[in-house]
Amino acid sequence: MPLPRRSPALTAPTATDQDATAPRVLLLHTTTPHPDAARHLAAVAAGLRAGGAEVTRLAAREQAERSAPAPTAGEAGATRTAGARLLRRTGQPGVDLASRLRTVWSAAAGARALGPVDSVVAGHVTLAPAAAAAARLTGASRVPVLFHGVDMWTMRPHLRLLLRHDPLLYPVTSSSFSAGALSPVRMGAIIPPGLEHQWRETLLAEAARRRPLPPMPTVLSVFPLGDWESKGLTTLVDALDSAAAVLGPVRLVIAGAGPAPGALHSIVAARKHTTLCEDPRDAALARLYATADLFALCTRTRTRPPVSGEAHPTALLEAQLAGCAVIGPAQGGSPDAYQRGATGWTPADESVPALAHILEDLLADRARLARAGRLASDWARSVTDPDDHIRAVFAALLGRQPQARTDSEAAGQELTGPPAPRSPESPAPHGSRGPTEEAPAGRS
């Protein structure tokens, strides 16, 4: 009998369909999730709790990355290590099968003790078999599978087959681009990235401050510093040099989670008016966003190893919240994160001339950029509304609406507990806890 290809999450929830009791959700995650996945999981768990759901988090004992390496860094980008590629090529089916069976067994044992739940959420695509088994033991009617970064390109064949044929499973992504990439396998749902309340307010406060324009225009780029190649830094540097030949000196600020490799230090040292900010604190990062004329993220999209790309870069939203207009990557899901031509711009392709053309056009009129930044802050405030995020989480994972919150709850707990970490492009807050804890999962 043919199985449905359309996700149950695509059915619009109605108030009459809601149960009187709080929904119960089992959230499966790996023991050491990638910072990008940890940020997303923390925001999802916070949204579920804020909407009245009872959430139980269960860490798989085996790291699922052994059978399918997760992205090593980036909002949506990653590169695989040579060792991981070798393991995949040589195939060690016995090792992979044993690892998968241990993951399924540990999840099943935890689910059996939990009792009935409404939804079993696989926090990573490699946990889909464990989530499917747990759903049968708990009576869950939904098994949403969360995709992060470039998972849609690194998914192993057996997981693709399971996602296509198991009627309970469906993908949940952060952008229409990722959902479209997965549509040949299964129709899914979208949960836009959520931001921790205090971090969002910090960015908005910086946007509200009025500062005089510095004499030299400034372009900011934020990403994990170890990923400078896949993030297209050399393209950005060359494009800025081309623009500077027309406009005069342009300052470049590079910030993100360290340590910065020696090659990146060499690039910074060789270029005038270039600053490297390694592991800035939250307040410092917010000021960098707010004082830049333009934010640029130039990630290369590669669907073959080494895989890289952007699904829905949170850094683009952070920059706009702070009042900074943005340039997104030429390809990928980034256009979901800004208003094209109003608060953000997209190069025609990944070449230096295409990026230089946009930089010259925008940096030639800094007053125009300032107006675009103010518009960007207002737009980003509206699309990151905490209540909207809670509703999106409930619709995607439970197919229903969240419980109505009182005014005091809405004012005091806007995606706060546990707080989601900052953008994976940005460094982790100083003193934050590890990725397996429910509090900030850390920025890579």
Side-chain angles (χ1 to χ4, degrees):
M1 182 176 67
L3 298 175
R5 295 287 301 281
R6 184 171 292 275
S7 160
L10 298 181
T11 303
T14 61
T16 58
D17 293 334
Q18 295 193 95
D19 203 323
T21 60
R24 303 186 72 208
V25 178
L26 173 60
L27 176 57
L28 301 180
H29 60 91
T30 58
T31 53
T32 54
H34 181 268
D36 174 32
R39 176 196 61 79
H40 195 192
L41 291 173
V44 165
L48 286 169
R49 291 193 178 97
E54 177 186 336
V55 182
T56 300
R57 296 185 65 162
L58 179 62
R61 294 185 181 276
E62 288 294 316
Q63 295 185 20
E65 289 81 358
R66 174 184 294 183
S67 59
T72 58
E75 168 63 31
T79 58
R80 288 189 172 127
T81 63
R85 291 196 297 270
L86 178 61
L87 176 61
R88 187 175 62 255
R89 285 198 300 267
T90 55
Q92 306 181 7
V95 173
D96 283 352
L97 179 59
S99 174
R100 291 197 291 267
L101 289 177
R102 280 192 293 266
T103 301
V104 172
W105 177 261
S106 65
R112 185 185 295 274
L114 183 61
V117 300
D118 297 280
S119 177
V120 177
V121 180
H124 191 271
V125 64
T126 52
L127 296 176
R136 269 66 182 186
L137 292 174
T138 58
S141 60
R142 291 170 172 270
V143 185
V145 180
L146 303 186
F147 280 75
H148 315 281
V150 293
D151 287 347
M152 65 275 193
W153 295 323
T154 61
M155 179 170 45
R156 299 287 293 273
H158 73 279
L159 298 172
R160 189 178 298 272
L161 187 66
L162 178 64
L163 189 63
R164 178 187 293 272
H165 292 293
D166 191 312
L168 297 184
L169 272 62
Y170 59 93
V172 178
T173 69
S174 59
S175 70
S176 56
F177 173 80
S178 301
L182 286 166
S183 61
V185 179
R186 194 69 172 265
M187 296 295 292
I190 298 174
I191 301 178
L195 291 176
E196 185 263 322
H197 172 61
Q198 188 57 49
W199 175 233
R200 179 173 178 268
E201 293 302 311
T202 298
L203 293 168
L204 288 171
E206 285 292 340
R209 295 195 174 104
R210 291 291 179 260
R211 299 178 174 90
L213 288 175
M216 187 182 302
T218 300
V219 175
L220 170 68
S221 192
V222 179
F223 52 81
L225 300 180
D227 291 345
W228 63 274
E229 290 182 280
S230 65
K231 295 298 180 179
L233 180 62
T234 54
T235 300
L236 177 59
V237 168
D238 291 343
L240 281 173
D241 289 342
S242 176
V246 177
L247 304 173
V250 178
R251 181 172 178 246
L252 172 62
V253 178
I254 305 165
L264 178 56
H265 281 289
S266 299
I267 291 175
V268 173
R271 187 183 187 276
K272 292 182 179 180
H273 313 300
T274 302
T275 304
L276 179 63
C277 297
E278 190 171 334
D279 295 321
R281 293 178 179 269
D282 290 356
L285 179 60
R287 283 194 298 272
L288 289 177
Y289 281 132
T291 55
D293 291 84
L294 188 62
F295 176 88
L297 186 63
C298 308
T299 308
R300 301 167 180 170
T301 300
R302 301 290 183 270
T303 60
R304 296 180 182 274
V307 175
S308 63
E310 300 289 354
H312 194 302
T314 309
L316 293 175
L317 288 175
E318 292 176 346
Q320 290 173 95
L321 281 168
C324 183
V326 300
I327 294 177
Q331 300 174 8
S334 298
D336 281 3
Y338 52 84
Q339 283 189 306
R340 193 165 180 173
T343 70
W345 288 263
T346 307
D349 52 51
E350 295 181 353
S351 67
V352 171
L355 180 59
H357 174 74
I358 292 183
L359 289 170
E360 291 174 20
D361 180 57
L362 295 177
L363 294 175
D365 190 347
R366 298 177 70 187
R368 172 193 176 191
L369 277 179
R371 292 192 297 271
R374 290 191 290 271
L375 179 61
S377 184
D378 292 338
W379 179 84
R381 180 200 294 266
S382 68
V383 300
T384 59
D385 179 77
D387 287 332
D388 288 344
H389 184 263
I390 293 169
R391 284 189 288 270
V393 168
F394 266 70
L397 305 186
L398 290 162
R400 58 179 288 176
Q401 296 178 1
Q403 295 178 0
R405 296 196 295 166
T406 64
D407 292 340
S408 59
E409 288 174 331
Q413 188 201 2
E414 293 186 335
L415 293 181
T416 56
R422 312 295 181 260
S423 160
E425 289 83 3
S426 313
H430 290 261
S432 66
R433 286 166 277 188
T436 58
E437 298 184 54
E438 299 249 279
R443 289 180 274 170
S444 64

